[in-house]
Amino acid sequence: MKKVDIMKDMDELTDTYCMECFVIRDLRKTRGKQGAHRFCIESCTVGEQLQFLGNEMMKVYEKK
């Protein structure tokens, strides 16, 4: 996978699911920004996919 393709996939995911996410908006009110971020990292399926793509991006950079 090329890094440009990975970045496009990441942008598409965040634009589609994260920009208007009601869960994040509610968690920011109740837990704060850090609590909402922690939810995205640990529990959200979109967050898991973003982590996977980030790891793929690191593999591309390590090959060079």
Side-chain angles (χ1 to χ4, degrees):
M1 231 179 179
K2 294 181 180 180
K3 63 181 178 179
V4 174
D5 296 331
I6 296 171
M7 288 300 294
K8 285 181 183 178
D9 289 345
M10 291 173 90
D11 286 341
E12 183 178 322
L13 276 173
T14 56
D15 290 346
T16 303
Y17 298 106
C18 300
M19 297 299 276
E20 299 294 325
C21 182
F22 297 111
V23 176
I24 292 175
R25 195 174 304 151
D26 183 54
L27 287 175
R28 281 189 178 172
K29 290 178 185 176
T30 57
R31 296 186 191 174
K33 189 173 181 179
Q34 186 176 12
H37 183 73
R38 171 105 9 236
F39 169 81
C40 293
I41 292 171
E42 294 176 352
S43 302
C44 181
T45 56
V46 176
E48 290 174 7
Q49 184 65 27
L50 288 170
Q51 286 183 29
F52 170 77
L53 290 171
N55 289 332
E56 291 297 310
M57 180 74 75
M58 293 303 295
K59 289 177 186 176
V60 169
Y61 282 113
E62 289 173 359
K63 288 181 181 179
K64 289 185 176 185

